[in-house]
Amino acid sequence: MTHPYAPKSLKLAHYTLPAFSQLEILTYFFSGIGVFLLVGWFLVKDKQHSWTNSQFGTKLVFMWFLLSGAIHLFVEGWYASHQKTIAGLDDFMSNVWKEYALSDSRYLSSDSFVWVMESITAFVWGPICFCICYLILNDSPKRHILQVVVSMGQLYGDVLYYLTTLVEGAPHTVDHPFYFWFYFVFLNAFWIVIPLVIIYSSGSIVLEALELVEDIFPQEFIEFEDEDEEYTEEDDEDEEVEEEEDFEEEVDFDDSDDEPVTVKKSPPRKQFTEAAPSPRRSTRRQN
């Protein structure tokens, strides 16, 4: 059976005609996205957030990661799980990919790069996106680290996705502006623009937090000049002698005939584990 995809030399022996029209696919798909965004807004609209530059911006970030998690895990996860047979399936999700493949036929030809990239996106970034949503709802500052990590992964994957076909002249796209500019360029551009904004925003907050910690606990950032100085057993014995002298006390008995007696108390012996820092270095840090 002939197919409408580019290039025309592409062989899809198991291809079957779509079971849904283009209008039905786009209507159902974008309606589902609208429902996810609406649910996300009701979940987060009354929440107050700390460690943020904008309360409204944090709510938008929550909705973005909720939508990204759903698309990554369910839509792209479907492709990653059925990439070898998706061209011949008639379910709705397979029809979504048949429609999108008009802009990139690699999704129907079991392209190894696309499959690996989509698998990582679906089964790594997808669950972490939902984890970020949970952290935002619980007002955890830990979310910023994960937001930077996931956004970097999304940005890196999308840039590679664009370049691996554009350097060849986009031979996998049907020669029609709608499929190239709307499907291929516009829909994927979200995963470049928004991750860049989140990387800048969350990265700035992480750097501000580190600077704040450095101002509060400057001694934690002291660089020791004598890194190569060795701590010997003789030094340990000298310190124990000094401590024992400090523990000498004079005890005055009640009997007037008895003179005060100097009693030497042995200090408790220090115990160090293999991972413990040397006593000399610890003393310097406290100073």
Side-chain angles (χ1 to χ4, degrees), residues 5-7 101-106 109 111 164-165 168-174:
Y5 304 102
L102 292 169
S103 71
D104 190 348
S105 62
R106 292 180 295 175
S109 61
D111 182 85
T164 49
T165 186
E168 298 177 350
H172 311 285
T173 304
V174 171

Side-chain angles (χ1 to χ4, degrees), residues 183-228:
Y183 283 2
F184 183 74
V185 176
F186 178 74
L187 292 182
N188 288 289
F190 286 101
W191 278 271
I192 288 183
V193 176
I194 296 178
L196 283 173
V197 174
I198 293 175
I199 289 170
Y200 175 79
S201 177
S202 292
S204 299
I205 292 175
V206 171
L207 292 178
E208 290 174 3
L210 292 175
E211 292 174 356
L212 180 62
V213 171
E214 185 175 6
D215 292 338
I216 297 175
F217 304 105
Q219 68 274 17
E220 298 295 330
F221 298 86
I222 295 176
E223 295 183 359
F224 303 111
E225 297 180 356
D226 302 327
E227 286 293 329
D228 298 333

Side-chain angles (χ1 to χ4, degrees), residues 79 83 106-107 109-119:
Y79 163 77
Q83 53 95 17
R106 292 180 295 175
Y107 281 89
S109 61
S110 298
D111 182 85
S112 58
F113 165 76
V114 171
W115 176 70
V116 171
M117 182 268 297
E118 291 290 7
S119 296

Side-chain angles (χ1 to χ4, degrees), residues 76-94:
E76 293 170 283
W78 180 270
Y79 163 77
S81 301
H82 300 83
Q83 53 95 17
K84 291 184 177 181
T85 59
I86 200 168
L89 300 178
D90 294 327
D91 54 84
F92 176 74
M93 201 60 68
S94 297

